Amino acid sequence: MRNVKKQPERPVLITNAARSQGDQLRTRQIRYVTMMGIRSLCLILGAVLISIQPPLLPVWLILCALGMVLLPWMAVLIANDRPPKSRENPAAPQPQHTTQTMIATEGEEEIQHRTIDVEP
């Protein structure tokens, strides 16, 4: 009697599939450009603040300078970040059956008569 291979208990839903690499890259690019835009706004805001001389000018200039210095560093880190791998979203599909479990489920006669033929 031949054993029938069992199907996985639950089917894989397409809604649980990981986002494509192209989609992830596009999202990271949008985040990077947005943060660089905010950096540019900090530069422009600093120039405007110097020209209008508001109260607490040094505090505002320090905040703008921090934005111009820290945002590029943060943008690169965030742009290079990928979503974490989890059990629901593994990096590669995991094999369901190993060779040992296949040998245990098939009869000895079947294993002895198995022929693997490879053509170029």
Side-chain angles (χ1 to χ4, degrees):
M1 174 172 220
R2 185 170 190 198
N3 291 337
V4 178
K5 194 182 218 183
K6 290 184 178 181
Q7 296 294 326
E9 293 178 15
R10 295 184 317 178
V12 176
L13 300 174
I14 191 67
T15 55
N16 292 341
R19 293 174 47 206
S20 69
Q21 288 184 354
D23 190 26
Q24 291 177 16
L25 176 64
R26 180 75 179 137
T27 303
R28 293 193 318 259
Q29 287 173 339
I30 290 170
R31 277 192 238 149
Y32 180 82
V33 169
T34 303
M35 292 181 84
M36 288 296 101
I38 294 170
R39 178 186 185 213
S40 299
L41 289 175
C42 286
L43 177 67
I44 294 169
L45 181 64
V48 170
L49 287 174
I50 288 175
S51 67
I52 61 172
Q53 298 285 325
L56 300 173
L57 178 63
V59 174
W60 292 113
L61 290 178
I62 289 171
L63 290 175
C64 288
L66 281 174
M68 288 187 291
V69 171
L70 294 179
L71 278 174
W73 173 73
M74 291 173 21
V76 169
L77 288 180
I78 290 172
N80 289 328
D81 189 24
R82 291 188 178 202
K85 295 176 179 77
S86 63
R87 291 188 94 174
E88 294 82 27
N89 187 11
Q94 302 298 321
Q96 296 294 329
H97 295 284
T98 62
T99 307
Q100 294 296 329
T101 56
M102 288 176 63
I103 291 173
T105 59
E106 297 178 3
E108 288 292 325
E109 298 151 5
E110 237 180 278
I111 293 171
Q112 292 173 356
H113 298 293
R114 183 180 297 162
T115 303
I116 300 174
D117 188 16
V118 178
E119 294 180 348

